[in-house]
Amino acid sequence: MPHPCGQPPHPPPGTWQHGGVTAATHSTLFPQVPDTPDAVLDGLDPEQREVALALHGPVCVLAGAGTGKTRAITHRIAYGVRAGILQPATVLAVTFTNRAAGEMRGRLRQLGATGVQARTFHSAALRQLQYFWPKAVGGELPRLLERKVQLVSEAAARCQIRLDRTELRDATSEIEWAKVTQTVPADYAAAVVKAQRDAPRDPAELAQIYSTYEQLKRDRSVIDFEDVLLLMVGILQDRADIAEHVRGQYQHFVVDEYQDVSPLQQRLLDLWVGDRDDLCVVGDASQTIYSFTGATPDHLLNFRTRHPGATVVKLVRDYRSTPQVVHLANGLLSQARGKAADHRLELVSQRDKGPEPVYTEYGDEPTEAESTARRIRDLIAAGVPAGEIAVLYRVNSQSEVYEQALADAGVPYQLRGAERFFERAEVREAGTALRGAARAGGNDSLLDGAGDLASQVRAVLSTKGWTTRPPAGSGAVRDRWESLAALVRLAEDFEAARPGVTLTDLVRELDERAAAQHAPTVQGVTLASLHAAKGLEWDAVFLVGLTEGMMPIAYAKTDEQVEEERRLLYVGITRARVHLSLSWALSRSPGGRASRRATRFLNGLRPGSGAVGARGGTGGGGGIDRGTARAAAHRTPAVERKPRSPVRCRVCGRTLTDAGEMKLMRCEDCPSDMDEGLYERLHDWRAAQAALLGQPDFCVFTEKTLMAIAEAVPSTEGELVVIAGVGNRKLNRFGTDVLAICAGETVGDEAAQGTHET
């Protein structure tokens, strides 16, 4: 109950000291809703509790990775609501992704704090814009442009500027950056110079495209996502009555990931808050990794200057990672420079000791990928769930070699950034089937003999493709099975947490989770870029491709750009709970010149790398495993191959960067000289081979590799092995068949069976 004077009560003594703290990141899947307001505070550590009790005035929470920041702020909101200090409808919590907002809504629901608005900046602004537009402007709100790329392409064409796909994507990103930094087309070129930003092409050309794009939007009465924020800012600035209406509705604001706010988002927040001070912000300057989108940590770092009376709480108890992982993360930041580094948080692990990080150097990228896949397979065999393992890389184009290696190893995987769980076709179908079975109750013959909830769910989903054993390999069939298996596990956990629940209760739970985008875990190794991994965590993390030019990325020129790359690696390291592997390859392909070196960020941290000038940091421990010799012992001697960097189109000569085009050795748009008959024969052979091995077709060769073979028509092993996607391993396994097919020979079942791995 709240204190008679309206102040929150002090926590009872002894709770935390006597072992009452619960993990910040490993919570029960279906916790019981706390009985009382004070029960909401149970299990919080002293600093988290301080956050939860600081319900008035400006509050700044500096929260390191894995310290339970989302836990602290959701318990703060829930405690305020449950104690009657905060009215749910007057609280607006904003963050930056739909996933984060969904997680926040899910946690608030579990704490009994319903009715609180938890949204992204764009979602909150769009909701307000739709409501106030008729009053402020009149008529209907212009149509929202879901994807601006097509309109940017048309704008470039009108300016007689030709953009390829990569350049078009870059131009679109530049327009987005300009708008969130409140830069108009006429000022774009000057803003690029001031920000020391590397524009992807002539700033004058980009300004022209930007201006034309804006004109096209006006002509067609459409707005983009950045306009949603800009227009709402304009309305709140020009219409005092609407501004007062909004401030009357929302009186308490919470901003998660505050280090990621852009100038435009900060302006909108200022207008929401007005001259009040009921604002709580949470962030970590050491996790600022989105400056290319306009994000800046300055608002977080200057919060105390803008709000001199603010309560500042630092969360440094890391509940996520072992001391070994935390030691490396602290060591990495100890070498950092700049304003964000001056405010770095020294994390203190709260977990038991774990294995040391493993550093491995490989001769080439395929060997790095194959070895990583084998180690992942070993971890899964040792009991680590596939869904608790991630492979993280700097750029998305690095994923293909790992997709192939995991497929070859028979390890299921999922690419981060795929469609939302509850929007998947199989999940929608499963929901419909479960809803129908719940309505039918005992009249559904499917449920005959299925006594408990989990058995009922398994019976219903068996009609949609779920089986007790997963299908072999990866691909669409396995993806569908994994989605259904996630629903089965959810039902099992739901029943274990709340005995006696019915199918109707589960359907209601699924509906609530879908509304909050609170998805269950799909079991498959996650492949993701370091940027996409922000906010996530796994038991085992493999950081791959850690070479100079990739980490830091080659176009990071200024000191601040390099420091942001360091922070990006820090984010990657702190995603790991227990197992952490860091690796790099000396060359791109087998037989290539070993011209690469490990990232400078690991100097002084990995054994044998020598000391560097650090600011109070110590070198990270851990054994080094030089994988080149060991991997080579298990491989057939390599066929001599020429280095393939840079890769150029064999038709027009343009340098290729797209992974698919590099496999074909030509631009996607350049004419193909593929032997159609040969391609069909290879396609049929691949299908038979995949069936024989019990794996998806792409585990033998991908479509692009088949096309490349049909275009090159190799006649020797040397000509075949240099085709991207073949490599020595697949040469040994399938080379005889492929060369025979290319020579016009017939390959029968006996020959196919002879291609098993030796």
Side-chain angles (χ1 to χ4, degrees), residues 523-595:
Q523 287 301 326
V525 174
T526 298
L527 296 178
S529 70
L530 287 164
H531 282 102
K534 177 76 167 64
L536 304 175
E537 59 186 82
W538 297 269
D539 284 344
V541 169
F542 290 79
L543 301 176
V544 299
L546 300 180
T547 61
E548 284 290 309
M550 193 60 75
M551 176 56 67
I553 200 76
Y555 53 73
K557 303 295 185 184
T558 67
D559 289 344
E560 180 47 41
Q561 288 169 342
V562 171
E563 286 304 314
E564 181 154 337
E565 292 289 299
R566 187 193 306 276
R567 295 193 294 269
L568 187 57
L569 180 57
Y570 172 80
V571 166
I573 290 171
T574 54
R575 299 311 94 194
R577 298 191 191 109
V578 181
H579 304 279
L580 177 63
S581 173
L582 305 95
S583 64
W584 58 93
L586 299 179
S587 68
R588 179 168 171 267
S589 56
R593 187 163 60 91
S595 58

XYZ file of all heavy atoms in Angstrom, residues 523-595:
560
model
N 13.379 -22.732 -31.936
C 14.648 -23.413 -31.754
C 15.414 -23.505 -33.062
O 15.083 -24.274 -33.942
C 14.413 -24.807 -31.171
C 14.020 -24.795 -29.708
C 15.059 -24.130 -28.826
O 16.259 -24.219 -29.079
N 14.606 -23.444 -27.802
N 16.441 -22.691 -33.173
C 17.323 -22.700 -34.328
C 18.442 -21.724 -34.047
O 18.237 -20.696 -33.390
N 19.646 -22.033 -34.487
C 20.777 -21.119 -34.296
C 20.467 -19.795 -34.992
O 20.018 -19.780 -36.137
C 22.067 -21.739 -34.864
C 23.219 -20.749 -34.803
C 22.420 -23.007 -34.098
N 20.681 -18.704 -34.296
C 20.402 -17.381 -34.862
C 21.610 -16.874 -35.642
O 22.738 -16.898 -35.142
C 20.061 -16.371 -33.745
O 18.887 -16.804 -33.068
C 19.826 -14.983 -34.324
N 21.372 -16.431 -36.855
C 22.379 -15.731 -37.647
C 21.956 -14.274 -37.713
O 20.832 -13.976 -38.138
C 22.479 -16.312 -39.060
C 22.946 -17.764 -39.189
C 22.932 -18.194 -40.646
C 24.341 -17.931 -38.616
N 22.819 -13.367 -37.291
C 22.412 -11.962 -37.235
C 23.618 -11.054 -37.338
O 24.738 -11.423 -36.974
C 21.663 -11.670 -35.936
N 23.367 -9.845 -37.832
C 24.408 -8.818 -37.793
C 24.529 -8.315 -36.366
O 23.612 -8.466 -35.550
C 24.058 -7.664 -38.726
O 22.963 -6.927 -38.205
N 25.639 -7.695 -36.043
C 25.842 -7.163 -34.702
C 24.800 -6.102 -34.377
O 24.326 -6.012 -33.241
C 27.253 -6.588 -34.572
C 28.372 -7.635 -34.498
C 29.728 -6.992 -34.753
C 28.366 -8.329 -33.143
N 24.423 -5.301 -35.362
C 23.394 -4.283 -35.122
C 22.050 -4.939 -34.780
O 21.341 -4.491 -33.879
C 23.234 -3.381 -36.349
C 24.309 -2.337 -36.468
N 25.366 -2.467 -37.345
C 24.496 -1.162 -35.820
C 26.155 -1.408 -37.234
N 25.651 -0.603 -36.320
N 21.709 -5.996 -35.503
C 20.418 -6.662 -35.281
C 20.382 -7.412 -33.965
O 19.308 -7.734 -33.461
C 20.119 -7.624 -36.433
N 21.559 -7.706 -33.380
C 21.622 -8.475 -32.141
C 21.403 -7.613 -30.909
O 21.241 -8.142 -29.803
C 22.976 -9.180 -32.029
N 21.381 -6.308 -31.086
C 21.211 -5.403 -29.942
C 19.931 -5.754 -29.185
O 18.873 -5.933 -29.778
C 21.135 -3.964 -30.453
C 20.880 -2.908 -29.387
C 22.125 -2.645 -28.582
C 21.951 -1.382 -27.752
N 20.897 -1.491 -26.747
N 20.045 -5.867 -27.855
C 18.883 -6.163 -27.029
C 18.586 -7.638 -26.858
O 17.660 -8.001 -26.140
N 19.374 -8.508 -27.521
C 19.146 -9.952 -27.432
C 20.278 -10.603 -26.649
O 21.297 -9.974 -26.357
C 19.035 -10.557 -28.832
C 17.962 -9.943 -29.736
C 18.044 -10.538 -31.123
C 16.583 -10.160 -29.133
N 20.127 -11.890 -26.326
C 21.161 -12.609 -25.590
C 21.019 -14.099 -25.840
O 19.934 -14.595 -26.148
C 21.063 -12.316 -24.092
C 19.719 -12.708 -23.489
C 19.598 -12.273 -22.039
O 19.273 -11.094 -21.789
O 19.813 -13.128 -21.166
N 22.150 -14.804 -25.712
C 22.179 -16.249 -25.934
C 23.167 -16.893 -24.959
O 24.068 -16.220 -24.442
C 22.618 -16.568 -27.365
C 21.708 -16.070 -28.423
C 20.654 -16.730 -28.983
C 21.750 -14.787 -29.088
N 20.049 -15.958 -29.935
C 20.690 -14.763 -30.036
C 22.580 -13.668 -28.986
C 20.459 -13.665 -30.854
C 22.343 -12.566 -29.798
C 21.283 -12.575 -30.723
N 23.023 -18.196 -24.746
C 23.993 -18.911 -23.920
C 25.362 -18.946 -24.593
O 26.387 -18.890 -23.917
C 23.521 -20.353 -23.673
C 22.418 -20.426 -22.635
O 22.229 -19.437 -21.902
O 21.735 -21.468 -22.558
N 25.373 -19.102 -25.900
C 26.639 -19.201 -26.635
C 26.621 -18.244 -27.818
O 25.654 -18.222 -28.582
C 26.867 -20.633 -27.119
N 27.684 -17.470 -27.960
C 27.785 -16.499 -29.055
C 29.109 -16.699 -29.781
O 30.172 -16.799 -29.143
C 27.688 -15.048 -28.527
C 28.051 -14.044 -29.624
C 26.284 -14.766 -28.005
N 29.039 -16.751 -31.111
C 30.221 -16.835 -31.963
C 30.343 -15.508 -32.721
O 29.492 -15.192 -33.553
C 30.099 -18.000 -32.943
C 30.187 -19.356 -32.302
C 29.089 -19.908 -31.647
C 31.371 -20.080 -32.329
C 29.163 -21.149 -31.028
C 31.457 -21.330 -31.715
C 30.352 -21.864 -31.068
N 31.368 -14.736 -32.402
C 31.646 -13.494 -33.121
C 32.655 -13.827 -34.208
O 33.795 -14.214 -33.912
C 32.207 -12.437 -32.164
C 31.304 -12.062 -30.989
C 32.017 -11.074 -30.068
C 29.992 -11.471 -31.478
N 32.255 -13.702 -35.460
C 33.073 -14.196 -36.570
C 33.507 -13.043 -37.483
O 32.922 -11.958 -37.465
C 32.300 -15.250 -37.389
C 31.933 -16.439 -36.510
C 31.034 -14.653 -38.005
N 34.540 -13.318 -38.280
C 34.997 -12.329 -39.252
C 35.625 -11.104 -38.623
O 35.538 -10.000 -39.182
N 36.294 -11.258 -37.474
C 36.831 -10.104 -36.735
C 38.198 -9.690 -37.271
O 39.234 -9.835 -36.612
C 36.912 -10.431 -35.245
C 35.580 -10.777 -34.565
C 35.800 -11.082 -33.087
C 34.582 -9.646 -34.731
N 38.200 -9.175 -38.487
C 39.437 -8.729 -39.111
C 39.425 -7.226 -39.324
O 38.366 -6.597 -39.383
C 39.640 -9.408 -40.481
O 38.542 -9.052 -41.345
C 39.717 -10.914 -40.359
N 40.602 -6.647 -39.432
C 40.702 -5.236 -39.793
C 40.037 -5.027 -41.161
O 40.226 -5.827 -42.079
C 42.177 -4.823 -39.881
C 42.855 -4.636 -38.547
C 42.337 -3.406 -37.818
O 42.295 -2.315 -38.419
O 41.970 -3.545 -36.638
N 39.276 -3.987 -41.281
C 38.522 -3.745 -42.504
C 37.085 -4.191 -42.372
O 36.202 -3.699 -43.066
N 36.859 -5.156 -41.468
C 35.498 -5.583 -41.154
C 35.127 -5.151 -39.740
O 33.990 -4.808 -39.453
C 35.374 -7.099 -41.307
C 33.937 -7.597 -41.312
S 32.944 -6.891 -42.661
C 33.585 -7.830 -44.068
N 36.109 -5.142 -38.841
C 35.906 -4.693 -37.462
C 37.208 -4.043 -36.983
O 38.113 -4.763 -36.584
C 35.499 -5.868 -36.579
C 35.345 -5.526 -35.107
S 34.195 -4.206 -34.770
C 32.631 -4.991 -35.252
N 37.349 -2.705 -37.059
C 36.332 -1.767 -37.544
C 36.151 -1.869 -39.053
O 37.084 -2.234 -39.770
C 36.894 -0.400 -37.141
C 38.382 -0.602 -37.147
C 38.596 -2.006 -36.660
N 34.971 -1.493 -39.504
C 34.654 -1.546 -40.925
C 35.561 -0.567 -41.667
O 35.978 0.456 -41.112
C 33.155 -1.209 -41.146
C 32.670 -1.713 -42.506
C 32.890 0.263 -40.952
C 32.431 -3.185 -42.579
N 35.863 -0.870 -42.914
C 36.852 -0.091 -43.660
C 36.491 1.387 -43.775
O 37.368 2.254 -43.788
C 37.031 -0.701 -45.052
N 35.197 1.709 -43.838
C 34.826 3.107 -44.042
C 34.725 3.897 -42.742
O 34.321 5.057 -42.743
C 33.526 3.220 -44.832
C 32.352 2.440 -44.311
C 31.658 2.833 -43.167
C 31.917 1.291 -44.973
C 30.583 2.110 -42.697
C 30.831 0.558 -44.498
C 30.162 0.974 -43.372
O 29.100 0.258 -42.905
N 35.088 3.285 -41.605
C 35.166 4.034 -40.348
C 36.504 4.765 -40.332
O 37.549 4.167 -40.066
C 35.043 3.088 -39.159
N 36.487 6.058 -40.631
C 37.716 6.838 -40.800
C 38.035 7.698 -39.583
O 39.180 7.772 -39.150
C 37.614 7.725 -42.040
C 37.324 6.979 -43.331
C 38.450 6.053 -43.731
C 38.195 5.413 -45.095
N 39.245 4.435 -45.460
N 37.036 8.404 -39.060
C 37.283 9.324 -37.962
C 37.420 8.561 -36.645
O 37.019 7.397 -36.533
C 36.145 10.346 -37.826
O 34.945 9.665 -37.410
C 35.876 11.040 -39.160
N 37.982 9.243 -35.640
C 38.137 8.614 -34.328
C 36.787 8.189 -33.768
O 36.660 7.108 -33.191
C 38.815 9.588 -33.355
C 40.283 9.812 -33.693
O 40.843 9.001 -34.466
O 40.866 10.794 -33.190
N 35.765 9.039 -33.922
C 34.451 8.713 -33.379
C 33.831 7.521 -34.106
O 33.174 6.677 -33.501
C 33.520 9.918 -33.456
C 32.119 9.661 -32.916
C 32.079 8.959 -31.557
O 32.901 9.302 -30.680
O 31.241 8.048 -31.385
N 34.042 7.435 -35.417
C 33.521 6.297 -36.168
C 34.190 4.996 -35.720
O 33.530 3.959 -35.581
C 33.732 6.518 -37.666
C 32.818 7.576 -38.254
C 33.216 7.976 -39.669
O 34.348 7.727 -40.104
N 32.294 8.601 -40.391
N 35.493 5.056 -35.469
C 36.214 3.874 -34.990
C 35.724 3.494 -33.591
O 35.530 2.312 -33.289
C 37.735 4.121 -34.990
C 38.469 2.977 -34.277
C 38.248 4.253 -36.424
N 35.484 4.488 -32.752
C 35.000 4.203 -31.401
C 33.604 3.575 -31.433
O 33.267 2.740 -30.598
C 34.993 5.466 -30.544
C 36.371 5.904 -30.100
C 37.127 4.809 -29.358
O 36.544 4.163 -28.466
O 38.301 4.572 -29.687
N 32.784 3.975 -32.396
C 31.464 3.352 -32.511
C 31.596 1.885 -32.904
O 30.826 1.036 -32.456
C 30.579 4.093 -33.508
C 29.201 3.473 -33.631
C 28.118 4.450 -34.071
O 28.288 5.653 -33.874
O 27.105 3.987 -34.600
N 32.593 1.581 -33.737
C 32.841 0.180 -34.087
C 33.265 -0.617 -32.850
O 32.876 -1.775 -32.682
C 33.923 0.099 -35.164
C 33.506 0.663 -36.520
C 32.493 -0.221 -37.220
O 32.820 -1.382 -37.499
O 31.383 0.253 -37.492
N 34.062 0.005 -31.985
C 34.454 -0.662 -30.738
C 33.221 -0.956 -29.886
O 33.068 -2.035 -29.315
C 35.428 0.215 -29.945
C 36.017 -0.495 -28.714
C 36.719 0.486 -27.776
N 37.726 1.275 -28.434
C 38.982 0.889 -28.640
N 39.375 -0.301 -28.221
N 39.843 1.692 -29.245
N 32.313 0.027 -29.821
C 31.093 -0.179 -29.048
C 30.238 -1.285 -29.660
O 29.565 -2.035 -28.945
C 30.297 1.131 -28.968
C 31.011 2.230 -28.197
C 30.078 3.378 -27.860
N 29.595 4.107 -29.007
C 30.175 5.178 -29.527
N 31.307 5.643 -29.005
N 29.647 5.797 -30.566
N 30.273 -1.400 -30.973
C 29.522 -2.457 -31.653
C 30.061 -3.832 -31.254
O 29.291 -4.773 -31.007
C 29.603 -2.260 -33.164
C 28.748 -3.166 -34.041
C 27.274 -3.065 -33.678
C 28.946 -2.803 -35.515
N 31.380 -3.961 -31.176
C 31.979 -5.223 -30.732
C 31.625 -5.482 -29.268
O 31.352 -6.629 -28.876
C 33.497 -5.182 -30.911
C 34.260 -6.440 -30.477
C 33.754 -7.677 -31.197
C 35.759 -6.259 -30.703
N 31.588 -4.424 -28.469
C 31.186 -4.552 -27.058
C 29.767 -5.097 -26.949
O 29.490 -5.986 -26.125
C 31.285 -3.175 -26.394
C 30.714 -3.096 -24.993
C 31.436 -3.556 -23.897
C 29.454 -2.544 -24.763
C 30.926 -3.474 -22.606
C 28.932 -2.454 -23.482
C 29.663 -2.922 -22.400
O 29.156 -2.841 -21.133
N 28.875 -4.595 -27.775
C 27.501 -5.109 -27.794
C 27.515 -6.600 -28.131
O 26.816 -7.401 -27.510
C 26.633 -4.318 -28.798
C 25.321 -5.038 -29.078
C 26.359 -2.913 -28.268
N 28.319 -6.983 -29.124
C 28.390 -8.395 -29.496
C 28.888 -9.267 -28.359
O 28.325 -10.332 -28.068
N 29.945 -8.843 -27.684
C 30.510 -9.617 -26.570
C 29.488 -9.792 -25.460
O 29.320 -10.888 -24.907
C 31.780 -8.918 -26.033
C 32.921 -9.039 -27.056
C 32.203 -9.500 -24.687
C 34.133 -8.202 -26.724
N 28.778 -8.716 -25.142
C 27.843 -8.762 -24.006
C 26.518 -9.438 -24.339
O 25.623 -9.479 -23.497
C 27.573 -7.343 -23.474
O 27.120 -6.503 -24.548
C 28.833 -6.747 -22.868
N 26.381 -10.002 -25.544
C 25.202 -10.822 -25.836
C 25.358 -12.226 -25.248
O 24.386 -12.969 -25.128
C 24.998 -10.975 -27.359
C 24.760 -9.704 -28.177
C 23.708 -8.811 -27.605
N 24.304 -7.800 -26.741
C 23.618 -7.049 -25.890
N 22.329 -7.228 -25.734
N 24.229 -6.141 -25.154
N 26.592 -12.619 -24.915
C 26.873 -13.998 -24.486
C 26.674 -14.162 -22.993
O 27.155 -13.354 -22.200
C 28.306 -14.370 -24.861
N 25.998 -15.221 -22.615
C 25.837 -15.544 -21.199
C 27.028 -16.369 -20.689
O 27.589 -16.067 -19.645
C 24.549 -16.323 -20.961
C 23.273 -15.581 -21.317
C 22.044 -16.335 -20.792
N 20.810 -15.791 -21.332
C 20.045 -16.394 -22.230
N 20.387 -17.586 -22.683
N 18.942 -15.831 -22.666
N 27.388 -17.427 -21.426
C 28.395 -18.365 -20.921
C 29.528 -18.576 -21.921
O 30.690 -18.326 -21.622
C 27.746 -19.729 -20.576
C 28.795 -20.692 -20.021
C 26.607 -19.547 -19.580
N 29.190 -19.063 -23.097
C 30.207 -19.427 -24.089
C 30.410 -18.276 -25.065
O 29.448 -17.752 -25.638
C 29.771 -20.671 -24.872
C 29.456 -21.851 -24.009
N 30.424 -22.680 -23.504
C 28.266 -22.336 -23.557
C 29.851 -23.630 -22.778
N 28.548 -23.448 -22.797
N 31.668 -17.883 -25.264
C 31.985 -16.805 -26.195
C 33.168 -17.214 -27.045
O 34.215 -17.611 -26.532
C 32.302 -15.510 -25.441
C 32.710 -14.314 -26.303
C 31.570 -13.901 -27.237
C 33.126 -13.131 -25.425
N 32.982 -17.134 -28.355
C 34.049 -17.465 -29.300
C 34.274 -16.279 -30.223
O 33.322 -15.688 -30.728
C 33.659 -18.705 -30.120
O 34.606 -18.943 -31.146
N 35.540 -15.918 -30.419
C 35.895 -14.822 -31.316
C 36.867 -15.367 -32.350
O 37.877 -16.001 -31.998
C 36.542 -13.664 -30.546
C 35.728 -13.101 -29.368
C 36.158 -13.768 -28.054
C 35.898 -11.594 -29.254
N 36.574 -15.150 -33.636
C 37.418 -15.752 -34.669
C 37.606 -14.824 -35.851
O 36.851 -13.878 -36.053
C 36.808 -17.084 -35.137
O 35.550 -16.884 -35.761
N 38.625 -15.133 -36.641
C 38.928 -14.352 -37.844
C 39.688 -15.249 -38.814
O 40.245 -16.280 -38.434
C 39.764 -13.118 -37.482
C 41.059 -13.433 -36.786
C 42.284 -13.601 -37.345
C 41.222 -13.662 -35.375
N 43.206 -13.909 -36.377
C 42.594 -13.939 -35.168
C 40.354 -13.644 -34.279
C 43.103 -14.210 -33.902
C 40.865 -13.908 -33.019
C 42.225 -14.187 -32.834
N 39.678 -14.869 -40.080
C 40.362 -15.640 -41.122
C 41.396 -14.762 -41.807
O 41.159 -13.569 -42.041
C 39.355 -16.160 -42.149
N 42.537 -15.354 -42.140
C 43.643 -14.593 -42.730
C 43.442 -14.308 -44.210
O 44.049 -13.397 -44.757
C 44.960 -15.348 -42.522
C 45.360 -15.589 -41.053
C 46.667 -16.363 -40.978
C 45.478 -14.264 -40.300
N 42.591 -15.096 -44.884
C 42.303 -14.828 -46.295
C 40.836 -15.130 -46.566
O 40.172 -15.795 -45.776
C 43.189 -15.677 -47.222
O 42.841 -17.042 -47.129
N 40.366 -14.639 -47.689
C 38.955 -14.814 -48.015
C 38.650 -16.225 -48.487
O 37.611 -16.792 -48.168
C 38.560 -13.796 -49.086
C 37.099 -13.910 -49.506
C 36.679 -12.714 -50.345
N 35.364 -12.960 -50.899
C 35.171 -13.496 -52.101
N 36.188 -13.819 -52.851
N 33.950 -13.714 -52.543
N 39.549 -16.805 -49.266
C 39.272 -18.115 -49.845
C 40.499 -19.010 -49.734
O 41.626 -18.525 -49.585
C 38.869 -17.968 -51.319
O 39.874 -17.275 -52.032
N 40.306 -20.326 -49.781
C 41.436 -21.257 -49.705
C 42.460 -20.967 -50.801
O 42.104 -20.754 -51.956
C 40.783 -22.626 -49.902
C 39.370 -22.429 -49.450
C 39.016 -21.037 -49.855
N 43.713 -20.941 -50.423
C 44.764 -20.658 -51.391
C 45.025 -19.189 -51.586
O 45.975 -18.810 -52.277
N 44.188 -18.330 -50.997
C 44.380 -16.893 -51.127
C 45.535 -16.406 -50.267
O 45.990 -17.078 -49.346
N 46.000 -15.207 -50.563
C 47.115 -14.622 -49.814
C 46.651 -14.267 -48.404
O 45.628 -13.613 -48.228
C 47.636 -13.376 -50.539
C 48.902 -12.783 -49.919
C 49.563 -11.835 -50.908
N 48.653 -10.748 -51.264
C 48.596 -9.572 -50.607
N 49.386 -9.374 -49.566
N 47.775 -8.622 -51.014
N 47.420 -14.684 -47.406
C 47.054 -14.438 -46.008
C 47.420 -13.011 -45.619
O 48.389 -12.762 -44.889
C 47.750 -15.451 -45.100
N 46.631 -12.055 -46.104
C 46.966 -10.642 -45.925
C 46.173 -9.966 -44.813
O 46.395 -8.797 -44.514
C 46.712 -9.889 -47.238
O 45.357 -10.040 -47.645
